[in-house]
Amino acid sequence: SIKMDLLHSNGVLIIQHLQRDYRAYQDFLNFMSHVGDPRNIFSIYFPLWFQLNQVVGTKMIWVAVIGDWFNLIFKWILFGHRPYWWVQETMIYPNQSSPCLEQFPITCETGPGSPSGHAMGSSCVWYVMVTAALSYTVRWKDKSAVTLHRLTWSFLWSIFWIIQISVCISRVFIATHFPHQVVLGVFAGILVAEAFEHTPAIQTASLRMYIKTNLFLFIFALGFYLSLKLLDIDLLWSVPKAKKWCANPDWINIDTTPFAGLVRNLGALFGLGLGINSEMFITSCKGKNSCKISFRILCMAASLATLQLYNFVKIPTHTEYLFYILSFCKSAAMPLTVVALVPYCVHSLMRTTEKKLN
């Protein structure tokens, strides 16, 4: 406990330093925090990559979902505090002179803080993207191509680490994480992504396998929560702290609670399984049009545009269970749209156009 308090107090000093000396970069750091938001995986990264390479897109969803599930379990085990409430409750500062940490609209997350979900989600998905891009250059054989591969390798991994460091700094800057929590998140994300580099079975998974995986993840998480609750250990201990110490009650969002993230991820995985095993996917993405660049570009543009419309769908938050059910449905609809609905519509449109031309 003394060592952890010392680690936290040193982290607070770093946060104060960042908030004082990097004030001019506040907008950039807030932007990088949004870049690391796991929800961007489903609305931006996945629709782009799935239309470019279905194998990479499928792996991206699995990595994101399993990574975030491990993040939830780790958070429940580690009981990590967040800086914005820890400074208000710790007894290590004399005469109640706790440091003043500025809060922002994205500061007041309600789940435990360790490891960082943003850092973990960002590192695992960007790891998948970088390794996928480099897999194309590995096949180059001649001497000049080998040199180009090495330059590309250095460039892409430099971009990877620049993004991860920026996301980590942004999360520490807004006082929602301590430095050690974001570092742990980055390396945990890399481990999850690397594990899926050696798990080809996900590419041929049936709908039954998707449903079984969903049920296992949900039952394990719920069972873990209920088991510890029977032992009088409340795994939602962080929610009251967030509500108590957040500078603005309007910044508290039910979407940041532990179970909200679990439901969102389970919905996305179910939607992917439903889409990949649908007739619409087989007809469009496995048909003759699937090899055409025009088909992929149209699917990519239409998917991104359609998913942005989902942002206008506001789920009511007055009833918690209703919120979880609707959140699951909305999350399932997003990959289903990218995998099946949009490609099928584009395929039908192209086929109609071809018939008219003939």
Side-chain angles (χ1 to χ4, degrees):
S1 178
I2 296 176
K3 290 183 178 179
M4 189 57 67
D5 283 342
L6 182 61
L7 188 63
H8 286 160
S9 62
N10 288 334
V12 168
L13 293 176
I14 294 173
I15 295 170
Q16 288 181 305
H17 167 70
L18 289 175
Q19 291 188 344
R20 182 181 65 248
D21 297 341
Y22 287 77
R23 174 66 56 192
Y25 304 101
Q26 177 180 330
D27 291 339
F28 170 75
L29 292 173
N30 284 336
F31 170 75
M32 289 308 300
S33 190
H34 285 294
V35 168
D37 192 331
R39 284 168 287 197
N40 288 332
I41 299 168
F42 309 118
S43 61
I44 299 176
Y45 304 140
F46 170 67
L48 284 172
W49 272 97
F50 188 83
Q51 307 305 342
L52 289 173
N53 188 315
Q54 293 170 10
V55 171
V56 177
T58 301
K59 185 193 298 182
M60 187 175 293
I61 291 291
W62 276 89
V63 165
V65 170
I66 301 301
D68 210 45
W69 182 83
F70 273 116
N71 182 263
L72 172 64
I73 300 301
F74 288 152
K75 282 182 174 178
W76 279 347
I77 293 173
L78 297 177
F79 280 77
H81 290 275
R82 292 186 185 271
Y84 75 92
W85 77 57
W86 181 82
V87 294
Q88 305 291 342
E89 297 192 341
T90 182
M91 303 298 293
I92 70 168
Y93 297 107
N95 302 323
Q96 303 297 318
S97 58
S98 58
C100 180
L101 299 181
E102 184 174 356
Q103 296 183 26
F104 302 86
I106 56 177
T107 295
C108 300
E109 297 210 5
T110 57
S114 186
S116 166
H118 280 63
M120 191 168 175
S122 175
S123 65
C124 70
V125 170
W126 278 92
Y127 188 92
V128 169
M129 291 192 286
V130 169
T131 53
L134 289 175
S135 67
Y136 291 103
T137 64
V138 170
R139 303 164 191 166
W140 300 342
K141 299 296 183 182
D142 56 275
K143 190 174 181 180
S144 60
V146 171
T147 303
L148 182 59
H149 167 70
R150 289 174 179 171
L151 290 173
T152 305
W153 187 94
S154 300
F155 174 75
L156 289 179
W157 283 118
S158 296
I159 294 296
F160 172 85
W161 284 111
I162 288 171
I163 290 174
Q164 304 320 311
I165 292 171
S166 299
V167 169
C168 289
I169 291 175
S170 72
R171 301 301 289 171
V172 174
F173 174 84
I174 64 174
T176 200
H177 284 295
F178 291 103
H180 70 277
Q181 295 173 342
V182 292
V183 171
L184 180 60
V186 167
F187 287 103
I190 292 174
L191 287 175
V192 171
E194 181 60 29
F196 275 88
E197 291 292 319
H198 311 284
T199 315
I202 60 174
Q203 302 298 334
T204 56
S206 63
L207 180 58
R208 179 178 293 182
M209 183 62 185
Y210 277 90
I211 294 174
K212 285 182 177 179
T213 304
N214 256 19
L215 288 174
F216 171 78
L217 297 178
F218 177 74
I219 292 172
F220 186 97
L222 183 62
F224 188 72
Y225 169 77
L226 293 177
S227 297
L228 290 186
K229 193 170 185 179
L230 289 174
L231 297 175
D232 205 26
I233 300 174
D234 183 14
L235 293 179
L236 300 181
W237 60 273
S238 59
V239 178
K241 291 181 182 293
K243 291 179 178 179
K244 180 179 180 180
W245 298 113
C246 184
N248 187 338
D250 294 335
W251 294 348
I252 296 289
N253 192 341
I254 190 176
D255 202 29
T256 67
T257 59
F259 279 111
L262 175 66
V263 169
R264 182 172 60 246
N265 287 309
L266 295 181
L269 188 62
F270 176 72
L272 176 66
L274 198 62
I276 283 181
N277 291 280
S278 67
E279 286 297 325
M280 287 188 291
F281 171 76
I282 295 171
T283 301
S284 55
C285 295
K286 296 295 183 181
K288 62 178 183 178
N289 283 329
S290 62
C291 298
K292 296 179 180 179
I293 299 297
S294 58
F295 173 79
R296 295 188 179 188
I297 292 176
L298 283 172
C299 287
M300 196 182 299
S303 295
L304 287 172
T306 305
L307 291 187
Q308 300 317 306
L309 297 178
Y310 282 97
N311 294 329
F312 295 101
V313 178
K314 301 301 180 183
I315 301 176
T317 58
H318 58 275
T319 305
E320 191 171 0
Y321 293 112
L322 178 63
F323 171 84
Y324 290 146
I325 293 171
L326 295 179
S327 179
F328 179 89
C329 295
K330 179 181 177 181
S331 299
M334 295 176 74
L336 182 62
T337 298
V338 174
V339 171
L341 296 178
V342 166
Y344 184 77
C345 291
V346 172
H347 169 77
S348 300
L349 180 64
M350 292 180 69
R351 188 174 59 181
T352 303
T353 305
E354 288 172 358
K355 286 181 179 179
K356 288 182 178 179
L357 291 176
N358 294 330

